[in-house]
Amino acid sequence: MTALDAAPGEQLRRVAARPRRFGAWYVAEHRLRVMRSYVSTVLIGAVGTPLLYLFAMGVGLGALVSANLGPHAVDGVSYLRFVAPALLCTAAVTVASEEFTYPVMLGFKWNPTFVGISSSPVSPGQIIDGMVIAVVIRLVATSAVYWLFMLLFGATPSGAAALSVLIATLVGLAFGAPVMAYVATLTSDSGQIAMLMRFVLLPLTLFSGTFFPLTLMPVYLQWIGWLSPIWHGTQLARIVSYGAREPAWLIAVHVLYLLALFVSGWLLARRIAKGRLYS
Amino acid sequence: MSFAWVTLDTVSSPVIVASDLVKRYGEVVAVGGVSFEVAPGESFGLLGPNGAGKSTTMRMIGAVSTRTSGRLEILGLDPDRYGPEIRSQLGVVPQSDNLDEELRVRENLLVYGRYFGMTRAHVSGRADELLAFAQLQDKAKAKVTDLSGGMKRRLTIARGLMNDPRILLLDEPTTGLDPQARHILWDRLFRLKEQGTTLVLTTHYMDEAEQLCDRLVVVDKGAIMAEGSPSSLIRRYSSREVLELRFGADRNAEMADRLRDAGDRVEALPDRVLVYTADGEGELARLTDAGMRPITSLVRRSSLEDVFLRLTGRSLIE
Ligand SMILES: Nc1ncnc2c1ncn2[C@@H]1O[C@H](COP(=O)(O)OP(=O)(O)OP(=O)(O)O)[C@@H](O)[C@H]1O
Ligand SMILES: [Mg+2]
């Protein structure tokens, strides 16, 4: 008989041991190599976005608000400090919405590299895990750059406020993982992804207590904030940034809601990928 | 090779065993109970028309598609349980290329080798070897989208060889290529065959099957119609030579009727009449003497196309 089943246990494990264990990292490595081909876009985005927004909010709108309502106009802090955590979270969601839409569509359909990978020892679930790992790396990096600019603009204190970087990353994943699961079900894109950007992402960024507290919005719009990972994440970032006050139960809700969105989207995407690649 | 076999005591036990293999997609029976075995070092072909179930069979062998029923063992293992282990020993050239177009030629090999757990250094050396093998050294830094169809195919084969596979699965390796590109590719596959790589390939080109396969099965509508070496199939199901006669589209059927007793067997196609015979020239002379006046006539050797026609009553390439 063949070498493979001569000693099933031991030898079997050996031939695919590394891919079984590290498969997701190989996928992430592949993704990061692809990102290198659009590294200039990534860098311009990572640096340009905080510069533009912090300048506009701090020097522009922020000055206007302070002139009219005083230096502690919103939530007891300057407008810039109030708005910066929200901008950080929104930027993370924007990055996630790039990485979890077209690259996923590409991998399953347009240039089916996922199909290619699935004929190696690496499994569909590991392909999804690898996508997530690569996006985490990009999210942490861009959020860290963003946060450094916030520091530079005086939009955040230093120290524990740096936790905002991780919060923003979690917000990106909480939004991105369900989006990835949805995109993984698409067999063709007849505008669904553009619709998602326009009718889900855009309202979320506008109605998530980004530019003024959620409680100041009309009651019939506040539910959007409650559903929005951006609002939950922004509130957490405001807590670690300038000590915004929230009851403990609400903090727990913020954290659990973000984790639940991320994990359920991730697991769902794994299931869908398996069904699709192993048909 | 760091990831290769510790012991290779496989001499003659089959590397692939399929029996009563079935794959159904809802109501559609893609593969309807096929049985075959492939020996190590053998070059085995699945020859059949569009929709015969060739790709579906290849995907089940490749451990990326679960069978509906039947038995399947690759290297002695059940793909349902040992997918990653089996795939670590396979090279796969899918029917449609899925190279990463966002990466360069050589990068495609680097990235792919990593999926088998190869080290970066190992992957790098192997990529250069295979670029040379695929005659793509000059294109190492080119974009995949700038390659010709034949080059892409060669790159896909090189990618499938990164892990030094024991079995190479090729799904229609040369479909869509021009004759020259096909010959270059065949030459590369010949070399692999000589080196002892087990090849499993599908094709709907009979010349490709004759060139590359030691043994093949003719499949149609998910079932195996015949099995054997190309020459034995031709011997069994066809005559040595074929006389092709054209009488003009509207007269072929009528003439076929008059030719009924010519040769061993007569087959009427819309555009020509085929007379199966051991001696084509002799048969032609006899028919001409009998007053038949075809517009054109041609004597050729029998091919797998004739075998297929005999078995299914249909032409291989529609
Ligand atoms: N994922 C799928 N879902 C539903 N039906 C499928 C699927 N894949 C294949 N089929 C059907 O199974 C049958 C066999 O298809 P398959 O692709 O195996 O044929 P093939 O011999 O490779 O043909 P071709 O020469 O065109 O590549 C076809 O009728 C096809 O429509
Ligand atoms: Mg096919």
Side-chain angles (χ1 to χ4, degrees), chain A residues 137-159:
Chain A
I137 293 171
R138 186 175 165 194
L139 279 175
V140 169
T142 47
S143 303
V145 170
Y146 208 113
W147 189 79
L148 288 175
F149 275 102
M150 282 163 59
L151 202 60
L152 215 69
F153 275 81
T156 180
S158 57

Side-chain angles (χ1 to χ4, degrees), chain A residues 223-248:
Chain A
W223 62 271
I224 301 180
W226 280 90
L227 287 180
S228 167
I230 300 179
W231 178 67
H232 292 280
T234 296
Q235 292 309 101
L236 285 175
R238 282 177 176 146
I239 294 166
V240 301
S241 169
Y242 61 82
R245 287 176 187 274
E246 297 245 86

Side-chain angles (χ1 to χ4, degrees), chain B residues 91-106:
Chain B
V92 178
V93 177
Q95 183 166 355
S96 44
D97 289 318
N98 51 39
L99 297 160
D100 194 329
E101 293 172 1
E102 292 174 294
L103 297 179
R104 307 272 159 173
V105 167
R106 186 167 180 274

Side-chain angles (χ1 to χ4, degrees), chain A residues 55 57 69-70 73 82 120 129 150 157 159 198 221 223 244:
Chain A
F55 189 77
M57 290 301 149
L69 301 170
F82 169 79
S120 81
D129 299 351
M150 282 163 59
R198 212 163 298 148
L221 282 178
W223 62 271

Side-chain angles (χ1 to χ4, degrees), chain A residues 18 29-30 111 116 120, chain B residues 87 99-101 112 114-115:
Chain A
R18 288 175 62 84
E29 206 177 292
H30 182 161
N111 172 201
S120 81
Chain B
R87 292 194 299 273
L99 297 160
D100 194 329
E101 293 172 1
Y112 207 75
R114 293 287 283 155
Y115 288 126

Side-chain angles (χ1 to χ4, degrees), chain B residues 54-55 95 171-172:
Chain B
K54 304 182 297 291
S55 295
Q95 183 166 355
D171 196 352
E172 299 193 16

Side-chain angles (χ1 to χ4, degrees), chain A residues 1-4 12 14 18-20 26 29-30 33-34 106 111-112 116-121 277-279, chain B residues 5-7 10 59 64-65 75 77 82 85 87 98-102 107 111-112 114-117 120:
Chain A
M1 283 260 89
T2 64
L4 269 178
L12 268 182
R14 203 175 310 159
R18 288 175 62 84
R20 268 195 194 269
Y26 302 144
E29 206 177 292
H30 182 161
R33 197 183 264 278
V34 170
L106 212 62
N111 172 201
I117 300 171
S118 64
S119 41
S120 81
L277 295 171
Y278 285 176
S279 63
Chain B
W5 297 95
V6 188
T7 51
T10 356
R59 283 171 38 77
V64 292
S65 174
L75 300 167
L77 298 174
Y82 296 107
E85 284 72 20
R87 292 194 299 273
N98 51 39
L99 297 160
D100 194 329
E101 293 172 1
E102 292 174 294
E107 285 183 302
V111 158
Y112 207 75
R114 293 287 283 155
Y115 288 126
F116 294 84
R120 287 204 181 77

